């Protein structure tokens, strides 16, 4: 009997379970040593000075926007093909989103898309760009960063799809061409910790600010105290109970349970990536007979991807069908699919803020994209099954 195939799912091994059990039996369920251990492991994987873990990828994006002091009147350039959280992070702090177009074959923004978006900023002050690595492939960061720096923009990589990928000699997350990079550890990601996120940075000042903001804005560091009469006793020693909040932050902490799972999962990242690459290669071979009406997502020119999802581009009109019919037909055969993503500029909230905006590359990518199953525990013959059933549904 064939098993149902989700478009993505976590892989949990016995050592993952043991790591969580050990955390449960420890003295700390949150803000303990497992958090510090995960941050150290992630910093090593991403080859960066600091990794700051938090409760989700969305929280990580919000923290990055806060750390940059973005606010009302500031423009943040965001590619339209992404999850809504990338754009929402700018709105959380009062900034305005200016959407950039993308390459219709890869879904990735380039420096030319950044330049075009900047010309549409009007009276806003461009402050930052949040390029998005999509499906496991990376934006050409060197060229994009050079363009961003010419305009005085901060750069925050949304790398939620790309843990383990490389851009030239640099690991994604090393921030070789950015101020910060943001990751997600949702269950469909390559590495899962239930819910969780992180920001990596090579800037110690930003790392300190991120840690402050993720925990209510509270500091217990005597060197940072602003009220000496409250903070210190008559001998000048810090009062043992004392902490300060100079400005509000958020409760975006990650638990030791999540971080214990995350650290165990990170140890398997190379194995996860290698198997996903094998499955993507199997898809490439199996899809070849369906070309040109069905093709794998375009390949980025540079870098080594860490595949997160398997996206194909389908000419639905040429096949005489619609995406909805294809998705329903595959679901009837036990194969779940998804769409990544409806361009964010077409969401009601943003359509109302940017009426009439046309981004032809984003629209062309969206019109054809479909996400097929891809996960570590998938078998080669299941790839063949997915493509075989796809062909049947299309015909």
């Amino acid at each position: 009997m064939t098993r149902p195939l989700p478009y993505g799912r976590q892989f949990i091994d016995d050592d993952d379970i043991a790591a969580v059990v050990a955390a449960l039996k420890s003295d700390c369920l949150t803000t303990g040593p497992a958090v510090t251990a995960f941050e150290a492991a992630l910093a090593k994987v991403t080859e960066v000075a600091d990794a700051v873990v938090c409760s989700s990828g969305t929280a990580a994006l919000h923290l990055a926007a806060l750390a940059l002091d973005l606010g009302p009147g500031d423009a943040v350039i965001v590619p339209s093909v992404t999850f809504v959280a990338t754009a929402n992070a700018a709105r959380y702090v009062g900034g305005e989103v200016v959407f950039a177009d993308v390459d219709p074959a890869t879904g990735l923004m380039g420096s030319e898309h950044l330049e075009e978006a900047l010309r549409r900023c009007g009276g806003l002050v461009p402050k930052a760009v949040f390029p998005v690595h999509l499906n496991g492939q990376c934006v050409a960061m060197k060229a994009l960063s050079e363009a961003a720096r010419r305009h005085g923009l901060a750069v925050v990589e949304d790398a939620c799809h790309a843990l383990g990928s490389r851009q030239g000699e640099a690991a994604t997350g090393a921030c070789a061409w950015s101020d910060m990079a943001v990751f997600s550890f949702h269950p469909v990601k390559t590495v899962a910790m239930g819910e969780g996120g992180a920001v990596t940075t090579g800037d110690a000042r930003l790392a300190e600010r991120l840690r402050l903001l993720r925990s209510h804005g509270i500091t217990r560091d005597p060197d940072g105290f602003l009220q000496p009469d409250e903070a210190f006793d008559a001998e000048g020693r810090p009062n043992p109970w004392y902490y300060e909040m100079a400005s509000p932050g958020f409760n975006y902490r990650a638990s030791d349970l999540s971080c214990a799972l995350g650290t165990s999962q990170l140890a398997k990242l190379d194995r996860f990536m290698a198997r996903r690459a094998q499955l993507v290669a199997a898809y490439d071979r199996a899809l070849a007979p369906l070309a040109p009406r069905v093709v794998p997502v375009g390949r980025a020119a540079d870098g080594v991807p860490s595949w997160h999802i398997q996206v194909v581009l389908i000419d639905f009109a040429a096949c005489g069908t619609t995406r909805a019919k294809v998705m329903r037909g595959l679901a009837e055969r036990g194969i779940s699919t998804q769409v990544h993503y409806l361009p964010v500029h077409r969401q009601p909230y943003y359509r109302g803020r940017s009426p009439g905006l046309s981004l032809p590359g984003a629209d062309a990518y969206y019109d054809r994209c479909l996400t097929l199953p891809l996960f570590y525990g998938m078998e080669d013959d299941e790839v063949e099954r997915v493509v075989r059933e796809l062909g049947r549904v299309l015909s």
Side-chain angles (χ1 to χ4, degrees):
M1 182 178 178
T2 56
R3 64 170 176 166
L5 295 175
Y7 85 85
R9 74 182 308 273
Q10 72 278 4
F11 178 85
I12 302 298
D13 222 339
D14 287 344
D15 57 346
D16 298 321
I17 296 170
V20 175
V21 170
L24 278 168
K25 292 180 177 179
S26 73
D27 293 333
C28 296
L29 296 185
T30 191
T31 62
V35 174
T36 305
F38 176 80
E39 290 181 333
L42 181 61
K44 183 176 180 180
V45 164
T46 55
E47 302 172 5
V48 75
D50 281 293
V52 180
V53 68
C54 57
S55 55
S56 69
T58 301
L61 286 160
H62 187 195
L63 287 172
L66 288 163
L68 291 174
D69 290 319
L70 300 176
D74 295 340
V76 180
I77 313 302
V78 177
S80 188
V81 177
T82 184
F83 185 54
V84 295
T86 318
N88 289 349
R91 295 296 301 136
Y92 294 158
V93 296
E96 295 293 338
V97 180
V98 177
F99 288 105
D101 208 353
V102 300
D103 183 287
T106 64
L108 297 169
M109 76 177 293
S111 57
E112 69 277 20
H113 303 120
L114 172 61
E115 296 282 4
E116 191 277 331
L118 286 168
R119 291 192 289 271
R120 289 188 277 105
C121 283
L124 299 171
V125 180
K127 285 289 187 69
V129 56
F130 284 28
V132 175
H133 306 319
L134 190 67
N135 307 329
Q137 298 194 113
C138 292
V139 168
M141 282 302 302
K142 186 173 185 294
L144 186 135
S145 180
E146 288 172 351
R149 300 310 189 194
R150 284 196 301 271
H151 294 279
L153 304 182
V155 181
V156 178
E157 300 172 71
D158 183 335
C160 292
H161 281 204
L163 178 67
S165 63
R166 299 192 72 85
Q167 306 164 61
E169 296 298 315
T172 298
C175 301
W177 299 287
S178 66
D179 298 284
M180 290 174 277
V182 170
F183 294 93
S184 167
F185 304 100
H186 183 274
V188 298
K189 301 298 194 297
T190 304
V191 162
M193 51 190 286
E195 288 282 2
V199 187
T200 62
T201 183
D203 185 325
R205 181 190 62 82
L206 284 174
E208 181 180 2
R209 183 154 170 74
L210 289 163
R211 289 195 168 94
L212 188 70
L213 288 164
R214 79 170 168 190
S215 188
H216 303 284
I218 287 174
T219 181
R220 297 179 184 275
D221 180 5
D223 291 339
F225 289 162
L226 302 176
Q227 300 180 138
D229 56 326
E230 296 277 3
F232 302 97
D233 64 18
E235 285 75 41
R237 295 174 300 181
N239 288 318
W241 69 86
Y242 189 75
Y243 58 85
E244 280 189 358
M245 187 199 78
S247 61
F250 295 83
N251 182 358
Y252 280 165
R253 299 186 298 260
S255 74
D256 279 52
L257 305 183
S258 295
C259 288
L261 174 59
T263 303
S264 179
Q265 289 262 298
L266 277 175
K268 296 189 275 284
L269 177 60
D270 288 346
R271 175 157 51 109
F272 288 166
M273 287 172 53
R275 180 56 184 152
R276 285 170 174 263
Q278 291 173 351
L279 292 166
V280 169
Y283 265 116
D284 287 350
R285 293 190 296 270
L287 287 164
L290 300 182
R293 295 185 178 184
V294 182
V295 296
V297 69
R299 297 304 194 251
D302 301 315
V304 178
S306 173
W307 291 106
H308 162 48
I309 50 179
Q310 171 64 43
V311 174
V312 293
L313 304 178
I314 302 174
D315 187 340
F316 294 101
C319 293
T321 188
T322 66
R323 180 163 47 203
K325 289 179 180 178
V326 171
M327 293 180 74
R328 292 186 185 110
L330 289 172
E332 291 169 359
R333 292 161 169 80
I335 299 168
S336 295
T337 56
Q338 190 51 274
V339 174
H340 294 87
Y341 297 96
L342 172 66
V344 186
H345 78 280
R346 292 167 60 169
Q347 292 287 352
Y349 175 82
Y350 288 107
R351 200 187 281 272
R353 299 185 73 83
S354 302
L357 177 60
S358 175
L359 298 174
D363 291 338
Y365 181 86
Y366 167 68
D367 287 345
R368 297 178 296 155
C369 69
L370 184 68
T371 301
L372 303 178
L374 179 71
F375 52 93
Y376 176 78
M378 197 172 175
E379 302 293 338
D380 286 7
D381 62 352
E382 290 176 321
V383 170
E384 295 169 4
R385 172 188 157 201
V386 170
V387 176
R388 182 174 63 251
E389 296 300 339
L390 175 63
R392 288 172 176 168
V393 170
L394 289 172
S395 64

